[in-house]
Amino acid sequence: MLRTHTCGELRLSDKGNTVKLTGWIQKVRDKGGMIFIDLRDRYGLTQLVLNEQNGQQEVIAEARKLGREFVVQVEGTVLEREAKNSKIATGEIEIDLSSITILNPSKTPPILIEDNANEGEDLRMKYRYLDLRKNNVRAGLELRHRLMRETRNFLDKENFLEVETPVLIKSTPEGARDFVVPSRMNPGEFYALPQSPQTFKQLLMVSGFDRYFQIVKCFRDEDLRADRQPEFTQIDCEMSFVEREDILSLFEKLVKHIFQSEKGISLPDFPRMTYADAMEYYGSDKPDTRFDMKFVTLTPLTKGKDFAIFEQAELVVAINAKGCANYSRKQLDKLTDFVKKPQVGAKGLVYVKCNEDGSYKSSVDKFYSQEDLKAWAEAANAEAGDLLLVLSGKDSTTRKQMNELRLEMGSQLGLRDKNTFSCLWVVDFPLLEWDEESKRFHAMHHPFTSSIQEDVHLLDSKPEDVRANAYDMVINGVELGGGSIRIHDKDIQAKMFDALGFSEEEAKAQFGFLMDAFEYGAPPHAGIAFGFDRLCSLLGGSDSIRDYIAFPKNNAGRDVMIDSPAPIAKEQLDELGLKAQ
Amino acid sequence: MLRTHTCGELRLSDKGNTVKLTGWIQKVRDKGGMIFIDLRDRYGLTQLVLNEQNGQQEVIAEARKLGREFVVQVEGTVLEREAKNSKIATGEIEIDLSSITILNPSKTPPILIEDNANEGEDLRMKYRYLDLRKNNVRAGLELRHRLMRETRNFLDKENFLEVETPVLIKSTPEGARDFVVPSRMNPGEFYALPQSPQTFKQLLMVSGFDRYFQIVKCFRDEDLRADRQPEFTQIDCEMSFVEREDILSLFEKLVKHIFQSEKGISLPDFPRMTYADAMEYYGSDKPDTRFDMKFVTLTPLTKGKDFAIFEQAELVVAINAKGCANYSRKQLDKLTDFVKKPQVGAKGLVYVKCNEDGSYKSSVDKFYSQEDLKAWAEAANAEAGDLLLVLSGKDSTTRKQMNELRLEMGSQLGLRDKNTFSCLWVVDFPLLEWDEESKRFHAMHHPFTSSIQEDVHLLDSKPEDVRANAYDMVINGVELGGGSIRIHDKDIQAKMFDALGFSEEEAKAQFGFLMDAFEYGAPPHAGIAFGFDRLCSLLGGSDSIRDYIAFPKNNAGRDVMIDSPAPIAKEQLDELGLKAQ
């Protein structure tokens, strides 16, 4: 090694020892007769010192050549610092240098290597290798390493086997778009990159592997939104001979273990909430339960009073913003603007202030008496000082809008603290959802999800009412993972493909191998997959998953550092038997 | 859970307990009044028993419906077995059944689910999900899981961070062919799948990550040979501020740890052998050192005796097959046939038998006296009873041929035992090799490999003599891993690209980001990568890496189970802006 110690290692107990350190020049402070240098590596920062009075002229001359981010090897003696720095682990010592060797100089970096310096996404991404030098950026990837390690250790102890499934698989038109890979050895044919190892993990259950997991890259060729990447990482799991409660309790234990090991937080048991309740009380299948502010249905209380908007509304729904009766006109206007944004899409917002004197002030005073408003307030458990916010319209649309408003109010009221974690399971999702565009049902989860036993008989008559034996883990309004009890019977699987509008031939061409496998002794099985990038961002506290990916792509799917994707040579295309249209 | 215990779990101490088991029917033995059933799962085998005399008629009727590979749930009481079976862990008990529930029936499987049953590769691969039910096949993947776990735990303790590098990267014409991925969002442009994360791990060193590793899928679009897969797994590592000996000793420690934990074998220290010595004594840069049988150069001893073949030969080289003087004419003819095979390509084989009476019998008796042959025997340390095998011709070709013959003799003499492990480091490889076809130098390792300091001055004058600071770990004649001290200086890297025939523009277009990164304080760094599939096969004892891959592809790069690659829909091609030529 070119060093005897790292820059984060030396303590007062090393006093008097001769040491060699290597690292990057963080800062040089030249005080004339004395020079102080901060030397940085992954492990910490160590202060180096040079003093003209000690006859170190030659070394001082070398030190004066140093610039930010030069890589050096230094040798010296550990001294006790006079002015100790309690902020860093090596703050009690400094190194009195006897030599400096420049291992590699550095041009002035185009971005500042300091925590939380933020020069804009594009520059950071172009020079990602410099951005990654920042302690806070590296910390995100260190967190990721620890979470992978803890996940693996936990699952290994629970008898799960990590099995690598193939990356070069087969394209299926179901679901999101596949990335495809032309095959040179089989001209005109293509592999596809997996959107998930779903069918392979099910086959492993048919093989009797009993408990499978994999931390695995998956791929989706989607038009990217802010928090999506074309390649992302999943904790992918599958188990045999289990019932729903077995899966929920085991993976709840996994997440508790991760929170305990990473943050020292002992999470309480996760409540279960039905999809129906989640939509009723939060207007979302991934409710943020860090705060209450549940939806209150006012529909019957608002009818018959000549307020046309509410008269025509399928749903009138309120939330109670505790203690917000003092909201100013301006604040209320801003909330109205918020709900009218195209992303939310409401037509307007009705409010009711519960005044301290017991009276009510509302934007619909003209239509509703104090008695009426009192009845609303009581329904919403609103007390003096509270503010009711009311939306109305078509049921499903209004719930979605109210969900946005509720989250906004939660943020405004400081109820969405990043260091508070509220976890739950959402269960009993619908099996199918109707797609207006294609005029057919889609699988809400995926086509391998089984229905709840007591709903099976509805599959032919009222398919939209069939509940899936599916579950999502939701933390702080983020869907962290989801899964289902799978179909393991060939006939039921065939029926499901039929319900989804697959012809028998299509089903066979795409999933024949799985249906065949079900004929040779497939065990009951179930599974779950967690978005690993999201798990990192949840525990790391940054909203962007990019902060936990070493070399992320931008919103156009480009890696601006290596400049990819890029054109390829014509010879390459020829070998693949392809040409541009 | 549908079970209280696994099929490998119950012991005599569970006697009298009521238990529920699930699993697959391995065998049913119907002895009239009594039925014995072997129930199998991943964890083991448990004997179930039914006795008409105990009034179990109903359960017996159910049992008579069972066939091989049916999936069942059974309930019963743990009994002590009369005839114990010491071969299985549950051999002291059996289960007296009170109920059998068929969870899923099975058609008669097209392959036999028994250890080492081998119905031919094609059938096994088509029904891989059934093949994976065999204990020995599953054992290969359990081994793989353990080796991954032990590798990760070791490297984590050594402060390595596992960092995921991107799978969608950029195509570079250097080296093997890339698989490419057309980008829909950037029409006419392509990603490539990585052949290794080489440049990314070097960038992580520039970022100060200090110690990186990843167990990672890599991709090569090569014409497949027996032991190659288009996707394969690497243990990929990189370290900063290290010298060669640091890398060798740390990764030797890793491999020792793996052998200790998996096989309880404490490996001795790995000797280092130069590439020059490896070629001199074994004719291979990955010598199998489980046995000695080193090459002995006879060239000067064979000249001037009118044997035209040796007269014209650049090299005459022998190996000493100990104790083989009694080889029959037929055996010697077979060896001659062996070396004349097109894969070996020798023109013929000369032998010298060292007879017990001190005389010599050779196929070139006509040209060489007993004195001459004695001199050969002495050079090769051959004693009475030994057999010298001699090849001649062009130096490099003859060494390669002799390597094949040496390995064949090692096998014939039982010197290549799978449970004996002989490890070494081969060092000081040539930096460059001349390619006759393209009339230019190729990097023997890759273009990022540095040269040994004392040879740097030869890069312009005698590039073929420059030794690389590269190393391979070789075990039992298999190159398990290799790496090098990297170039970390922009100018030297540019010089290297120049030596490899890259124009400045080409170097910039393909590796500009790396050369740029070297200008901002790149530390000295080095790394290594291990073929993980090969590591599994070495420890597992099977010659084929496919036995350690859950869903391997065949020699045509096809997955015959899912039938991939396959044509894709025209709409998919249109979206990608591509068409078939």
Side-chain angles (χ1 to χ4, degrees):
Chain A
M1 296 288 300
L2 301 180
R3 67 190 177 213
T4 56
H5 297 77
T6 71
C7 293
E9 198 173 354
L10 293 165
R11 299 288 181 275
L12 208 47
S13 56
D14 299 295
K15 188 174 157 180
N17 292 344
T18 302
V19 297
K20 259 189 207 162
L21 299 182
T22 53
W24 285 259
I25 300 296
Q26 178 74 25
K27 205 186 281 179
V28 179
R29 277 159 295 154
D30 194 337
K31 312 245 169 185
M34 283 187 88
I35 294 182
F36 295 93
I37 301 169
D38 283 345
L39 189 67
R40 187 196 73 230
D41 68 10
R42 171 184 142 195
Y43 309 95
L45 208 68
T46 298
Q47 177 164 293
L48 317 175
V49 63
L50 286 161
N51 193 336
E52 233 167 41
Q53 295 191 321
N54 300 349
Q56 295 168 306
Q57 277 79 358
E58 267 179 47
V59 193
I60 287 180
E62 199 64 17
R64 291 207 163 112
K65 296 180 194 160
L66 298 176
R68 271 182 182 258
E69 301 305 317
F70 274 47
V71 182
V72 298
Q73 180 189 43
V74 298
E75 197 164 349
T77 310
V78 182
L79 301 183
E80 182 169 356
R81 268 211 223 181
E82 278 187 35
K84 299 201 169 51
N85 178 352
S86 62
K87 284 186 199 147
I88 60 172
T90 61
E92 294 196 306
I93 59 97
E94 61 191 5
I95 313 296
D96 185 36
L97 290 193
S98 57
S99 81
I100 295 176
T101 309
I102 295 175
L103 297 174
N104 218 345
S106 172
K107 294 203 297 193
T108 304
I111 63 171
L112 204 58
I113 317 292
E114 275 176 16
D115 292 9
N116 302 311
N118 196 337
E119 298 82 356
E121 191 80 355
D122 281 357
L123 203 61
R124 283 181 60 199
M125 288 305 129
K126 180 163 165 51
Y127 296 99
R128 181 64 166 172
Y129 48 85
L130 297 178
D131 192 46
L132 285 168
R133 281 190 193 161
K134 297 173 189 165
N135 289 316
N136 63 318
V137 179
R138 195 187 54 245
L141 290 156
E142 289 173 339
L143 169 82
R144 188 177 179 103
H145 167 78
R146 290 192 303 271
L147 298 192
M148 280 202 276
R149 181 187 65 197
E150 293 304 320
T151 301
R152 287 197 162 99
N153 288 349
F154 177 91
L155 292 172
D156 176 66
K157 285 207 184 81
E158 294 282 351
N159 263 323
F160 283 76
L161 291 172
E162 185 159 21
V163 180
E164 291 164 80
T165 52
V167 177
L168 296 172
I169 65 164
K170 187 175 172 176
S171 188
T172 56
E174 180 71 2
R177 270 192 211 86
D178 289 320
F179 283 108
V180 296
V181 182
S183 166
R184 183 179 54 86
M185 299 221 283
N186 305 274
E189 300 193 328
F190 292 77
Y191 302 100
L193 304 182
Q195 296 183 33
S196 96
Q198 183 62 32
T199 49
F200 290 98
K201 67 177 176 173
Q202 291 193 243
L203 289 176
L204 287 172
M205 295 303 104
V206 175
S207 297
F209 272 59
D210 204 64
R211 297 181 167 207
Y212 144 93
F213 86 100
Q214 191 180 188
I215 301 185
V216 61
K217 274 277 174 82
C218 299
F219 306 86
R220 256 174 231 176
D221 187 9
E222 289 176 310
D223 300 315
L224 300 175
R225 287 181 269 140
D227 209 29
R228 290 274 178 122
Q229 287 280 312
E231 52 181 298
F232 56 97
T233 304
Q234 252 178 223
I235 305 173
D236 193 52
C237 307
E238 199 80 5
M239 297 172 82
S240 291
F241 301 115
V242 287
E243 292 162 299
R244 187 171 85 184
E245 203 48 41
D246 301 313
I247 293 266
L248 300 196
S249 68
L250 194 136
F251 289 97
E252 185 170 323
K253 203 170 137 195
L254 165 64
V255 170
K256 284 177 177 175
H257 170 79
I258 289 172
F259 272 82
Q260 183 61 253
S261 72
E262 182 58 34
K263 301 196 92 76
I265 292 175
S266 174
L267 291 176
D269 289 345
F270 298 10
R272 280 86 164 117
M273 186 186 292
T274 63
Y275 174 86
D277 279 355
M279 297 311 291
E280 169 85 13
Y281 297 116
Y282 301 95
S284 166
D285 59 0
K286 39 179 195 277
D288 184 345
T289 50
R290 277 174 296 188
F291 62 107
D292 195 42
M293 213 186 279
K294 286 198 193 71
F295 291 9
V296 179
T297 301
L298 299 181
T299 322
L301 298 179
T302 60
K303 297 291 184 187
K305 305 287 168 154
D306 293 334
F307 181 47
I309 291 170
F310 283 4
E311 285 305 309
Q312 290 153 17
E314 189 182 356
L315 176 74
V316 181
V317 65
I319 52 172
N320 175 6
K322 299 293 293 177
C324 295
N326 58 355
Y327 261 41
S328 65
R329 178 86 233 164
K330 202 173 158 192
Q331 281 175 298
L332 289 166
D333 285 348
K334 271 187 84 174
L335 284 181
T336 306
D337 291 345
F338 175 85
V339 299
K340 285 167 118 175
K341 281 196 308 183
Q343 301 95 305
V344 182
K347 296 235 171 64
L349 176 66
V350 167
Y351 69 85
V352 182
K353 286 183 173 180
C354 306
N355 295 326
E356 294 294 343
D357 64 4
S359 69
Y360 299 93
K361 166 85 192 99
S362 170
S363 49
V364 290
D365 280 343
K366 257 197 279 183
F367 302 97
Y368 297 96
S369 66
Q370 289 287 310
E371 277 305 293
D372 293 335
L373 299 177
K374 189 179 180 194
W376 299 9
E378 277 170 1
N381 272 322
E383 300 165 315
D386 292 352
L387 172 70
L388 292 189
L389 298 170
V390 187
L391 293 175
S392 66
K394 192 163 171 283
D395 189 302
S396 63
T397 325
T398 308
R399 289 190 188 282
K400 275 184 201 141
Q401 292 161 354
M402 188 55 108
N403 169 49
E404 297 294 336
L405 180 59
R406 175 180 175 273
L407 293 176
E408 171 64 20
M409 287 311 297
S411 296
Q412 286 197 15
L413 298 175
L415 302 173
R416 302 178 73 194
D417 174 22
K418 277 188 182 160
N419 295 308
T420 302
F421 297 95
S422 177
C423 315
L424 74 155
W425 289 103
V426 176
V427 298
D428 296 352
F429 283 81
L431 184 68
L432 304 165
E433 45 184 0
W434 182 254
D435 184 54
E436 267 307 321
E437 206 180 311
S438 60
K439 298 281 176 211
R440 63 179 186 94
F441 283 106
H442 279 269
M444 191 150 180
H445 196 64
H446 57 50
F448 313 107
T449 299
S450 69
S451 49
I452 285 183
Q453 202 54 41
E454 59 189 271
D455 292 355
V456 171
H457 68 281
L458 298 169
L459 199 53
D460 293 323
S461 54
K462 295 182 86 181
E464 66 278 11
D465 282 0
V466 177
R467 286 168 300 166
N469 212 334
Y471 31 80
D472 276 1
M473 185 188 284
V474 175
I475 303 186
N476 292 2
V478 173
E479 180 208 321
L480 197 66
S484 64
I485 308 283
R486 320 301 186 190
I487 297 167
H488 65 280
D489 178 286
K490 186 185 176 171
D491 294 336
I492 296 176
Q493 187 65 67
K495 205 166 175 175
M496 182 69 179
F497 282 131
D498 182 49
L500 294 171
F502 283 65
S503 73
E504 222 171 293
E505 293 69 39
E506 284 166 348
K508 198 177 153 56
Q510 286 168 44
F511 300 109
F513 60 98
L514 186 67
M515 316 248 293
D516 287 350
F518 284 175
E519 296 206 283
Y520 295 107
H525 60 287
I528 194 166
F530 292 91
F532 186 64
D533 306 297
R534 283 196 205 162
L535 180 70
C536 292
S537 114
L538 190 71
L539 278 114
S542 164
D543 286 332
S544 171
I545 60 169
R546 276 180 219 181
D547 289 341
Y548 306 91
I549 296 173
F551 300 101
K553 295 186 175 55
N554 72 12
N555 279 346
R558 296 198 69 83
D559 181 328
V560 296
M561 180 184 73
I562 64 171
D563 193 21
S564 167
I568 57 173
K570 186 174 175 307
E571 297 75 48
Q572 275 176 292
L573 273 177
D574 287 346
E575 274 198 325
L576 297 169
L578 290 175
K579 62 179 173 181
Q581 280 187 349
Chain B
M1 295 288 299
L2 300 181
R3 67 189 177 213
T4 56
H5 297 78
T6 71
C7 293
E9 199 175 352
L10 292 167
R11 298 289 181 274
L12 209 45
S13 55
D14 298 297
K15 189 173 156 180
N17 292 344
T18 302
V19 297
K20 259 188 209 165
L21 300 182
T22 53
W24 285 260
I25 301 295
Q26 178 75 25
K27 206 186 282 181
V28 179
R29 277 159 296 154
D30 194 338
K31 311 243 169 186
M34 284 188 86
I35 294 182
F36 295 93
I37 301 169
D38 283 346
L39 189 68
R40 187 195 73 230
D41 68 10
R42 169 183 142 198
Y43 309 95
L45 208 67
T46 298
Q47 178 165 295
L48 317 176
V49 63
L50 285 162
N51 194 335
E52 234 168 38
Q53 296 192 322
N54 300 348
Q56 295 168 306
Q57 278 79 358
E58 266 180 49
V59 192
I60 286 181
E62 198 64 16
R64 292 207 164 114
K65 296 179 193 160
L66 298 175
R68 273 182 182 258
E69 303 305 318
F70 275 45
V71 183
V72 298
Q73 181 188 43
V74 298
E75 197 164 348
T77 310
V78 182
L79 300 183
E80 182 168 358
R81 266 210 225 182
E82 278 187 34
K84 298 200 169 53
N85 179 351
S86 61
K87 285 184 196 146
I88 60 172
T90 62
E92 294 196 307
I93 59 97
E94 61 192 5
I95 314 295
D96 185 34
L97 291 194
S98 57
S99 81
I100 296 176
T101 309
I102 295 176
L103 297 174
N104 217 345
S106 172
K107 293 203 298 191
T108 303
I111 64 171
L112 204 60
I113 316 292
E114 274 175 17
D115 292 9
N116 302 311
N118 197 336
E119 299 82 355
E121 191 81 355
D122 281 357
L123 203 61
R124 284 181 59 199
M125 288 306 129
K126 180 161 165 51
Y127 295 99
R128 181 63 166 174
Y129 47 87
L130 297 178
D131 192 47
L132 285 168
R133 281 192 194 159
K134 296 173 188 163
N135 289 316
N136 63 318
V137 178
R138 195 187 54 245
L141 290 156
E142 288 173 339
L143 169 83
R144 189 176 179 103
H145 166 78
R146 290 192 303 272
L147 298 192
M148 279 202 275
R149 180 188 65 197
E150 292 305 320
T151 301
R152 286 197 162 99
N153 287 349
F154 177 91
L155 292 172
D156 176 66
K157 285 207 184 80
E158 294 282 352
N159 262 324
F160 283 76
L161 291 172
E162 185 160 21
V163 180
E164 292 164 79
T165 53
V167 177
L168 296 171
I169 64 164
K170 187 175 172 175
S171 189
T172 57
E174 181 71 3
R177 270 191 210 86
D178 289 321
F179 283 108
V180 296
V181 182
S183 167
R184 183 181 52 87
M185 299 220 284
N186 305 274
E189 299 193 327
F190 292 76
Y191 303 100
L193 304 181
Q195 297 183 32
S196 95
Q198 184 63 32
T199 48
F200 291 98
K201 67 177 175 171
Q202 291 193 243
L203 289 177
L204 287 172
M205 294 304 104
V206 174
S207 297
F209 272 60
D210 204 65
R211 295 181 169 208
Y212 145 93
F213 86 101
Q214 190 180 190
I215 300 185
V216 60
K217 274 278 175 78
C218 300
F219 306 86
R220 255 173 230 176
D221 187 9
E222 289 177 311
D223 300 315
L224 300 176
R225 285 182 271 142
D227 208 28
R228 290 275 177 121
Q229 287 279 313
E231 53 179 297
F232 55 97
T233 304
Q234 251 179 224
I235 306 173
D236 193 54
C237 307
E238 199 80 5
M239 298 173 82
S240 292
F241 301 115
V242 287
E243 293 163 299
R244 188 170 84 183
E245 203 48 42
D246 301 312
I247 293 267
L248 300 197
S249 66
L250 195 136
F251 289 97
E252 186 170 323
K253 204 171 136 194
L254 165 64
V255 171
K256 284 177 177 175
H257 171 78
I258 288 173
F259 272 82
Q260 184 61 252
S261 72
E262 182 57 34
K263 301 195 92 73
I265 292 176
S266 173
L267 292 175
D269 288 345
F270 298 9
R272 280 87 164 117
M273 187 187 291
T274 63
Y275 173 86
D277 279 354
M279 296 311 290
E280 169 86 13
Y281 295 116
Y282 301 95
S284 166
D285 59 0
K286 38 180 195 280
D288 184 345
T289 50
R290 276 175 295 187
F291 63 107
D292 195 42
M293 214 186 278
K294 285 197 193 74
F295 292 8
V296 180
T297 301
L298 300 181
T299 323
L301 299 179
T302 61
K303 296 292 184 186
K305 306 286 169 155
D306 294 332
F307 181 46
I309 291 170
F310 284 4
E311 285 306 307
Q312 290 152 18
E314 189 182 355
L315 176 74
V316 181
V317 66
I319 52 172
N320 176 7
K322 299 294 292 178
C324 295
N326 58 355
Y327 261 40
S328 65
R329 179 87 233 164
K330 203 174 156 192
Q331 282 175 299
L332 290 166
D333 285 349
K334 272 187 82 174
L335 284 181
T336 306
D337 291 345
F338 175 84
V339 300
K340 286 167 120 175
K341 281 195 308 184
Q343 301 95 305
V344 181
K347 296 236 173 62
L349 175 66
V350 166
Y351 69 87
V352 182
K353 286 183 172 178
C354 306
N355 296 325
E356 293 295 344
D357 63 3
S359 70
Y360 300 92
K361 167 85 191 99
S362 169
S363 49
V364 289
D365 280 344
K366 258 196 280 183
F367 303 96
Y368 297 97
S369 67
Q370 288 288 311
E371 277 304 293
D372 293 334
L373 298 177
K374 187 176 182 198
W376 299 9
E378 277 171 359
N381 273 321
E383 301 165 315
D386 292 352
L387 172 71
L388 292 189
L389 297 170
V390 187
L391 293 174
S392 66
K394 193 163 170 282
D395 189 302
S396 63
T397 324
T398 307
R399 288 189 190 283
K400 274 182 201 143
Q401 292 160 355
M402 188 54 109
N403 169 49
E404 298 293 336
L405 179 60
R406 176 182 175 272
L407 293 176
E408 171 64 20
M409 287 311 296
S411 296
Q412 286 197 13
L413 298 174
L415 302 173
R416 301 177 74 194
D417 174 21
K418 278 189 180 158
N419 296 308
T420 302
F421 297 94
S422 178
C423 315
L424 74 155
W425 289 103
V426 177
V427 299
D428 296 354
F429 283 81
L431 184 68
L432 303 167
E433 46 184 359
W434 182 254
D435 183 55
E436 267 307 321
E437 206 179 311
S438 60
K439 298 280 174 209
R440 63 180 185 92
F441 283 106
H442 280 266
M444 191 149 179
H445 196 65
H446 57 51
F448 313 107
T449 299
S450 68
S451 49
I452 286 183
Q453 202 54 41
E454 59 188 273
D455 292 354
V456 171
H457 68 281
L458 298 169
L459 198 53
D460 293 323
S461 54
K462 295 182 87 181
E464 65 279 11
D465 283 0
V466 177
R467 286 168 299 167
N469 213 332
Y471 31 79
D472 275 2
M473 183 187 285
V474 175
I475 303 187
N476 293 2
V478 173
E479 181 206 321
L480 197 66
S484 63
I485 308 282
R486 321 301 185 189
I487 297 166
H488 65 280
D489 178 285
K490 187 186 176 170
D491 294 336
I492 296 177
Q493 187 65 66
K495 206 166 174 173
M496 182 68 178
F497 283 130
D498 182 49
L500 294 171
F502 283 65
S503 73
E504 221 172 295
E505 293 69 40
E506 284 166 347
K508 198 176 155 54
Q510 286 168 44
F511 301 108
F513 59 97
L514 187 67
M515 316 248 295
D516 286 350
F518 284 175
E519 296 206 284
Y520 294 107
H525 61 287
I528 194 165
F530 292 92
F532 186 63
D533 306 298
R534 283 196 205 163
L535 180 70
C536 293
S537 114
L538 190 72
L539 278 112
S542 163
D543 285 335
S544 171
I545 61 169
R546 278 180 218 181
D547 289 341
Y548 306 91
I549 296 173
F551 300 100
K553 294 184 176 56
N554 72 11
N555 279 346
R558 295 199 71 82
D559 182 328
V560 296
M561 180 185 72
I562 64 170
D563 193 22
S564 166
I568 56 173
K570 186 174 176 304
E571 297 76 48
Q572 274 176 293
L573 274 177
D574 287 346
E575 275 198 324
L576 297 168
L578 289 175
K579 62 178 172 181
Q581 279 189 350

